[in-house]
């Protein structure tokens, strides 16, 4: 086991109370594995990764749980010990490379600095390694581009520089936080192919933070779905896409347009908004947006139950005693959840058609009134 996170809780004290950005989150990452963490904005994905890297901004802090990297306790590391670990054994690609790279330094100098911080090598050797890393990540003419400033590069090139910097010391774990955000589709495909190829060549593990399920299906081995700071589902990537269990996961997958969908139906949309972290609903955090909400969902927070390696946090699969339901009860609950989602989409479609008809009639009346 390379990275083991158990019952992690991260909090941000504010004037109106305490924001629980991450609540009782657990997952493991093996060497050579790509684990994806998905969810909407505000689900706690990035805060989880920053907690692992020890880069939480004040007043944020780890309030509970444990994090171990190769058996080393990360929670109680000093800042000096963390600095030795970051960039060397653990590295991170941040969301926006233009703000992560220093605009007044050439990209080569920034990569050289990262190498010399952790390894006792000369400037010449570090520069040669930086050129080699730029070549590995697919930057053409690296001997010339190493002396460019960040603003002289495209978004895809800057992202490749960030990857080269993160991989310059051969880390065992790479955390990629939205590595393809704001990149066009062709560049996204190149970046994802690069991450897979580097994983295969070096054996490093990748913790991929994203909201794009298409990226997950193409890249990841396992998936953790987060909502409001909690893990609501975890499974192998094929299992999750073929057999989603949690209503939130089902909603995310049904929100993706497909060529075989009936054109007469509107695209499914999860109703409502992510709740204010200071005003969470009682019981299940997803209860106010769930098409399959039951009375118990508004009274009690479900546990994360393990169903033969497929973990889910939902009372469709758990009884009041916190135990997994029988196979037949689960099958019945899943059928009801799918039917509820379809019914919700049909209601939304009819409401949208009525609204469009009313708008059209109002426009006709305005035109007739103007012509008089």
């Amino acid at each position: 086991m390379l990275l083991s996170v158990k019952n992690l809780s991260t909090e941000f004290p504010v004037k109106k109370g305490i924001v629980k950005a991450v609540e009782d989150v657990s997952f493991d990452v093996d060497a050579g594995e790509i684990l994806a963490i998905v969810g909407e904005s505000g689900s706690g994905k990035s805060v989880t990764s920053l907690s692992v890297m020890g880069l939480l901004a004040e007043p944020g802090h780890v309030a509970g749980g444990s994090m171990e990297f190769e058996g080393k306790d990360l929670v109680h590391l000093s800042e000096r010990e963390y600095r030795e670990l970051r960039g060397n054994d653990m590295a991170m690609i941040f969301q926006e490379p233009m703000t992560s790279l220093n605009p007044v330094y050439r990209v080569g100098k920034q990569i050289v600095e990262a190498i010399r911080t952790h390894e006792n090598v000369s400037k010449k050797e570090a520069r040669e390694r930086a050129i080699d890393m730029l070549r590995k990540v697919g930057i053409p003419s690296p001997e010339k581009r190493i002396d460019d400033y960040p603003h002289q590069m495209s978004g895809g090139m800057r992202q490749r520089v960030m990857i080269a910097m993160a991989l310059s010391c051969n880390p065992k774990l790479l955390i990629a936080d939205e590595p393809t955000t704001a990149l066009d589709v062709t560049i996204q495909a190149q970046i994802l192919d690069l991450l897979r190829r580097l994983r295969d060549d070096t054996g490093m593990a990748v913790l991929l933070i994203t909201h794009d399920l298409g990226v997950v299906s193409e890249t990841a081995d396992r998936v953790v779905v987060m909502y409001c700071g909690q893990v609501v589902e975890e499974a192998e990537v094929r299992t999750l896409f073929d057999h989603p269990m949690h209503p939130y996961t089902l909603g995310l997958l049904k929100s993706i347009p497909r060529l075989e969908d009936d054109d007469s139906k509107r695209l499914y949309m999860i109703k409502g908004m992510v709740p204010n972290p200071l005003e969470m609903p009682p019981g299940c955090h997803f209860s106010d947006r769930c098409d399959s909400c039951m009375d118990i969902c508004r009274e009690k927070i479900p546990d994360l139950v393990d169903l033969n390696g497929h973990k889910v946090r939902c009372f469709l699969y758990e009884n009041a005693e916190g135990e997994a339901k029988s196979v037949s009860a689960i099958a019945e609950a899943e059928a009801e959840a799918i039917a509820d989602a379809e019914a919700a989409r049909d209601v939304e479609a009819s409401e949208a058609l009525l609204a469009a008809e009313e708008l059209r009639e109002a426009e006709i009346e305005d035109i007739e009134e103007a012509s008089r």
Side-chain angles (χ1 to χ4, degrees):
M1 191 68 62
L2 186 67
L3 174 69
S4 179
V5 177
K6 301 296 182 187
N7 309 114
L8 175 67
S9 295
T10 302
E11 298 178 349
F12 290 83
V14 295
K15 290 182 179 180
K16 294 185 178 181
I18 296 178
V19 174
K20 295 182 179 180
V22 176
E23 187 177 349
D24 195 29
V25 167
S26 299
F27 60 85
D28 297 319
V29 183
D30 292 325
E33 179 183 35
I34 299 180
L35 174 70
I37 301 181
V38 301
E40 293 173 282
S41 296
S43 62
K45 308 184 303 296
S46 294
V47 175
T48 299
S49 65
L50 293 173
S51 299
V52 173
M53 290 294 291
L55 294 174
L56 287 171
E58 294 290 343
H61 63 278
V62 174
S66 64
M67 297 181 292
E68 291 186 357
F69 180 79
E70 292 189 313
K72 184 180 296 184
D73 183 7
L74 299 180
V75 176
H76 299 100
L77 282 187
S78 65
E79 182 56 32
R80 179 181 177 182
E81 291 172 322
Y82 238 131
R83 280 200 302 268
E84 293 176 355
L85 195 64
R86 284 193 298 259
N88 194 19
D89 291 330
M90 296 193 312
M92 186 168 182
I93 304 171
F94 296 94
Q95 285 193 31
E96 179 47 61
M98 193 59 195
T99 57
S100 301
L101 293 170
N102 193 321
V104 300
Y105 288 102
R106 301 179 192 275
V107 296
K109 184 174 182 179
Q110 298 182 56
I111 300 175
V112 167
E113 181 183 11
I115 295 172
R116 298 196 71 201
T117 297
H118 296 284
E119 298 187 22
N120 184 23
V121 296
S122 65
K123 285 185 179 180
K124 181 180 179 180
E125 186 178 347
R127 180 180 172 86
E128 290 174 353
R129 189 189 297 185
I131 292 173
D132 184 54
M133 288 306 305
L134 292 177
R135 184 179 294 109
K136 283 183 177 180
V137 298
I139 292 182
S141 305
E143 298 84 359
K144 297 179 180 178
R145 303 308 299 268
I146 193 173
D147 293 319
D148 283 353
Y149 289 97
H151 72 270
Q152 294 177 285
M153 293 183 158
S154 66
M157 289 295 184
R158 288 194 292 266
Q159 194 68 284
R160 290 169 187 268
V161 170
M162 285 294 299
I163 295 174
M165 189 183 303
L167 299 177
S168 60
C169 293
N170 300 315
K172 298 174 183 177
L173 173 67
L174 176 66
I175 299 177
D177 189 359
E178 302 282 7
T180 58
T181 297
L183 300 179
D184 60 67
V185 177
T186 55
I187 301 300
Q188 283 187 27
Q190 292 173 13
I191 295 296
L192 294 174
D193 182 64
L194 173 63
L195 288 177
R196 287 194 299 268
R197 181 158 43 84
L198 291 171
R199 185 276 302 267
D200 295 338
D201 292 344
T202 65
M204 72 176 181
V206 180
L207 183 60
L208 179 64
I209 312 295
T210 183
H211 64 270
D212 190 335
L213 290 170
V215 169
V216 172
S217 66
E218 290 285 332
T219 311
D221 299 313
R222 281 191 304 119
V223 189
V224 170
V225 182
M226 289 187 67
Y227 183 78
C228 289
Q230 292 183 328
V231 173
V232 295
E233 189 164 359
E234 178 184 348
E236 299 289 332
V237 64
R238 277 297 114 217
T239 302
L240 186 96
F241 277 80
D242 293 341
H243 187 199
M245 288 186 170
H246 198 279
Y248 177 62
T249 309
L250 181 64
L252 291 177
L253 291 172
K254 290 182 74 66
S255 299
I256 301 174
R258 291 179 173 83
L259 292 175
E260 64 269 18
D261 280 352
D262 186 350
D263 292 340
S264 64
K265 291 186 177 182
R266 282 173 58 85
L267 189 64
Y268 179 79
M269 179 179 66
I270 301 175
K271 64 184 179 182
M273 299 288 291
V274 176
N276 186 328
L278 291 171
E279 300 174 357
M280 286 292 181
C284 175
H285 294 342
F286 190 61
S287 58
D288 288 346
R289 306 179 67 190
C290 183
D291 296 322
S292 304
C293 181
M294 301 174 284
D295 290 340
I296 191 174
C297 301
R298 301 188 185 279
E299 300 169 358
K300 183 181 177 183
I301 297 178
D303 295 325
L304 191 68
V305 295
D306 190 340
L307 303 171
N308 298 321
H310 193 156
K311 299 178 182 178
V312 61
R313 188 188 298 272
C314 182
F315 284 116
L316 291 173
Y317 306 92
E318 175 192 350
N319 58 32
E321 287 72 37
E323 300 173 349
K325 291 182 177 179
S326 65
V327 175
S328 58
I330 288 175
E332 183 180 347
E334 287 179 339
E336 291 178 359
I338 294 173
D340 290 338
E342 287 295 336
R345 184 165 69 167
D346 290 341
V347 169
E348 289 171 1
S350 61
E351 289 177 347
L353 290 172
L354 288 173
E357 183 66 24
E358 291 174 358
L359 180 61
R360 189 174 68 86
E361 291 176 355
E363 290 175 346
I364 293 174
E365 290 178 1
D366 291 341
I367 292 173
E368 291 176 348
E369 184 67 27
S371 64
R372 292 194 186 106

